Amino acid sequence: MAKITENTRTEVREIVLAFFAEECEADKSQIKDNTSIIKDLDGDSLMFLELIEIFKKKYNLDIELKTIGKYAVKHPVETIGQLIEMQMLIIELENRLLELEK
Amino acid sequence: MAGKVVITGMGIVSSLGYDLETFWRNLEAGKSGVKKISLFDASTCATRIAAEVPQDFEEFSRTLVKKRAAGQMTRVTRMCVVAAKQAVALSGLDFEKEDKSRCAVIMGVVNTGNSSVEKDTSPQNTVFKSMTNSMPAWISLEYQLLGPNFAINTACASSAYAIATGMQMIKNNMVDIVIAGGADSIINPEEINGFNALYALSVANDPPEAASRPFTASRDGFVIGEGAGVLILESEEHAMKRNALVHCELAGYALTSEGYNIMAPMKDGTGMAATIEKAIENAGIAKSEVGYINAHGTSTELNDRYETMAIKRVFGEQAYLIPVSSSKSMIGHTIGAAGAIEGIITILSLKNNTLTPTINYSDPDPELDLDYVPNVSRNKTIEVALSNSFGFGGHNATLVFRKYPGN
């Protein structure tokens, strides 16, 4: 479990925005929390998986993909803001993510 | 059965250009696209030449394929998507105005291009690059089409099969529009060594441009080419409704198998002849109408001998009056894309009243005595032309194209 600080949040946001700007050839300054990943950026669900891999490596996370999958089914991600929030939860809780459902 | 099927769009990516005008200009000039292999170090291969798509294609493709999607495609798939987008653009189709459930995509796919020469594949993209259905899938996704969408693999006849299948689907009133064609590249060490082991490839490496020599006495095997060809097939009724420019009619086809050998064509070209005969019958034309044959013409010993015998068997004495040329002398053998690329060349020949040559025809095989349009293109008005494709495994296809009135 990683300790979440304000720096972590800033770092995660920066990585997410840079990733979408690069992959979707979008202007990073135009990507906001309410930007739709599919409608506005023409992104795809695979990008979520790729970001998880990036964060798993960066923060040495212990989390199984199926755990994230189970959580994501009940908490679908549509916007950049939602995606950042979910990444923060994944970093913070790792495999305990599903405990939020109890 | 619906009425005529017409061609309203074409797109090309090849060693001689990735737009129709450049491609045609180079063919007409009898240029060769064969060069030393640059995609990998071929110095240890017996064959070290191929007809590669120009390197600046990648830069061009970025104008038509978004970066995100491009990363999930192989280089060959990008060729296919680029050719499809060119074909759609030329057709003037706006799919937002179409019933998308009546629009199909059929691609001839033998190899996805996910070989050792494919670079920068992330683990998440490995599957997408290996899926043999990826080419039609990406095209369908591009336009959000809802009709049938699939790949056909019949080796070197694959994209001819795709075109023929598309024609039949329109004839059967299943769909109005079919995006049909194919793309391929086997320019990688695994395939080259494999084909070299079968003695199928030319090893006349120097000079590269002289290696593909269909119908000559010194021919020593085919030269690998790569690229994509995509056509827009449409019911004539649908094309007329939207006032589309028709490039020609796809008048008929034949698809057969030889049931003979995994590699060699049936002795004396009897299987090939049966295919040509059936295609003529299917098109409802007289043999005397055939003014040109774009041959499979691989530059291999057996194909060129048997294809010549097949043409003589079908046409008799008339065979000597029909010009027959091999585009593979210039662009190499593009395998799964060959049927579509050579179909496009056949259509352009009908439209432009010009027959493209068989280059490197310097030492005729005395036993192969047809008019192979040697070395230089020829002005000739033709009304009907055939395009042959014959694949390993005995997959045969002949397409029949007819000039469209008023065009």
Side-chain angles (χ1 to χ4, degrees):
Chain A
M1 187 174 76
K3 185 171 168 53
I4 302 293
T5 65
E6 201 47 45
N7 274 352
T8 317
R9 181 172 288 278
T10 306
E11 199 170 54
V12 167
R13 168 176 286 278
E14 183 57 29
I15 290 170
V16 168
L17 296 188
F19 177 79
F20 277 95
E22 171 74 13
E23 289 295 314
C24 299
E25 297 172 281
D27 180 350
K28 196 169 99 175
S29 66
Q30 297 300 311
I31 304 175
K32 309 292 183 194
D33 277 357
N34 62 356
T35 299
S36 165
I37 294 167
I38 305 285
K39 288 179 188 163
D40 298 331
L41 294 174
D42 203 13
D44 56 63
S45 56
L46 196 64
M47 299 175 90
F48 184 60
L49 291 179
E50 289 176 32
L51 273 169
I52 287 167
E53 288 301 320
I54 289 169
F55 288 120
K56 273 176 82 171
K57 280 182 192 156
K58 182 164 182 58
Y59 297 109
N60 195 25
L61 300 179
D62 173 25
I63 186 160
E64 292 184 38
L65 211 52
K66 67 179 180 187
T67 304
I68 299 169
K70 282 180 184 170
Y71 185 80
V73 166
K74 291 183 181 172
H75 305 274
V77 166
E78 291 177 3
T79 65
I80 290 292
Q82 289 168 341
L83 185 136
I84 291 170
E85 285 311 312
M86 189 177 288
Q87 295 291 357
M88 294 303 298
L89 284 174
I90 290 167
I91 293 165
E92 184 181 357
L93 299 172
E94 300 177 85
N95 267 324
R96 293 190 297 111
L97 184 66
L98 290 178
E99 288 178 10
L100 290 176
E101 298 300 297
K102 290 177 183 170
Chain B
M1 300 280 269
K4 291 179 181 176
V5 174
V6 296
I7 306 296
T8 56
M10 295 175 279
I12 193 91
V13 174
S14 90
S15 57
L16 289 181
Y18 39 81
D19 66 272
L20 280 178
E21 288 78 11
T22 306
F23 178 60
W24 178 252
R25 200 167 55 243
N26 285 330
L27 289 170
E28 209 176 13
K31 286 191 180 172
S32 169
V34 182
K35 293 183 171 65
K36 285 184 181 170
I37 289 172
S38 69
L39 287 169
F40 67 96
D41 178 5
S43 58
T44 60
C45 297
T47 294
R48 299 184 288 279
I49 54 172
E52 292 178 354
V53 167
Q55 288 179 355
D56 56 6
F57 165 76
E58 285 297 329
E59 195 180 334
F60 174 71
S61 75
R62 282 197 277 276
T63 64
L64 293 173
V65 185
K66 285 182 183 167
K67 186 187 174 196
R68 173 77 189 161
Q72 296 171 332
M73 300 175 190
T74 62
R75 180 169 158 272
V76 181
T77 303
R78 288 193 289 277
M79 291 179 197
C80 190
V81 172
V82 165
K85 292 193 83 167
Q86 290 175 339
V88 170
L90 184 63
S91 75
L93 274 166
D94 176 357
F95 285 110
E96 295 310 310
K97 293 177 181 169
E98 300 297 333
D99 176 351
K100 291 183 177 181
S101 69
R102 290 185 60 83
C103 300
V105 185
I106 313 172
M107 289 295 134
V109 183
V110 183
N111 307 278
T112 63
N114 195 22
S115 68
S116 60
V117 300
E118 184 69 18
K119 298 190 173 61
D120 304 327
T121 299
S122 72
Q124 284 86 6
N125 291 340
T126 303
V127 170
F128 305 134
K129 290 189 174 190
S130 300
M131 287 163 38
T132 50
N133 61 317
S134 64
M135 293 182 205
W138 278 114
I139 295 166
S140 178
L141 285 165
E142 175 69 29
Y143 300 106
Q144 300 173 324
L145 304 180
L146 305 174
N149 163 22
F150 56 96
I152 290 178
N153 183 351
T154 54
C156 307
S158 297
S159 51
Y161 266 66
I163 293 165
T165 305
M167 175 181 172
Q168 196 57 52
M169 288 174 75
I170 292 172
K171 284 271 185 190
N172 291 351
N173 199 26
M174 292 171 70
V175 292
D176 300 317
I177 298 162
V178 180
I179 304 175
D184 210 336
S185 176
I186 56 169
I187 307 175
N188 61 66
E190 300 84 13
E191 296 281 355
I192 287 183
N193 289 331
F195 277 101
N196 275 145
L198 299 174
Y199 297 100
L201 295 183
S202 171
V203 291
N205 293 299
D206 193 22
E209 59 274 12
S212 186
R213 320 169 57 80
F215 307 110
T216 65
S218 58
R219 68 190 186 276
D220 74 331
F222 76 85
V223 173
I224 294 174
E226 63 175 2
V230 175
L231 299 90
I232 306 297
L233 278 55
E234 204 168 339
S235 72
E236 183 186 38
E237 184 186 358
H238 189 274
M240 292 302 100
K241 265 187 201 162
R242 65 180 191 90
N243 202 23
L245 173 67
V246 173
H247 299 281
C248 82
E249 179 193 350
L250 176 56
Y253 69 88
L255 307 177
T256 70
S257 55
E258 298 196 340
Y260 175 71
N261 188 285
I262 193 67
M263 181 176 172
M266 190 180 272
K267 197 169 180 302
D268 298 340
T270 49
M272 295 173 177
T275 314
I276 298 169
E277 194 85 52
K278 279 176 189 289
I280 289 169
E281 186 185 327
N282 178 264
I285 57 165
K287 288 178 185 174
S288 58
E289 290 182 80
V290 176
Y292 168 64
I293 299 173
N294 188 289
H296 189 54
T298 55
S299 189
T300 59
E301 173 61 30
L302 284 186
N303 177 87
D304 294 2
R305 177 178 301 278
Y306 290 166
E307 190 169 13
T308 296
M309 293 172 82
I311 292 167
K312 288 184 190 177
R313 187 184 289 265
V314 172
F315 293 97
E317 283 301 306
Q318 190 204 335
Y320 295 96
L321 304 175
I322 303 173
V324 177
S325 70
S326 169
S327 310
K328 291 183 180 75
S329 62
M330 294 179 275
I331 58 170
H333 192 345
T334 55
I335 314 294
I341 291 177
E342 291 163 21
I344 288 171
I345 295 170
T346 309
I347 294 165
L348 293 174
S349 300
L350 278 163
K351 276 191 71 168
N352 297 327
N353 295 316
T354 301
L355 309 182
T356 58
T358 302
I359 65 166
N360 300 317
Y361 191 77
S362 54
D363 55 332
D365 183 330
E367 293 182 49
L368 309 186
D369 54 356
L370 296 179
D371 171 7
Y372 299 110
V373 195
N375 301 315
V376 290
S377 57
R378 182 186 304 170
N379 291 331
K380 185 176 189 243
T381 302
I382 47 174
E383 296 298 321
V384 175
L386 310 183
S387 178
N388 288 334
S389 297
F390 307 125
F392 272 23
H395 306 279
N396 292 349
T398 295
L399 302 174
V400 183
F401 297 99
R402 176 161 39 204
K403 188 171 277 188
Y404 195 75
N407 185 3

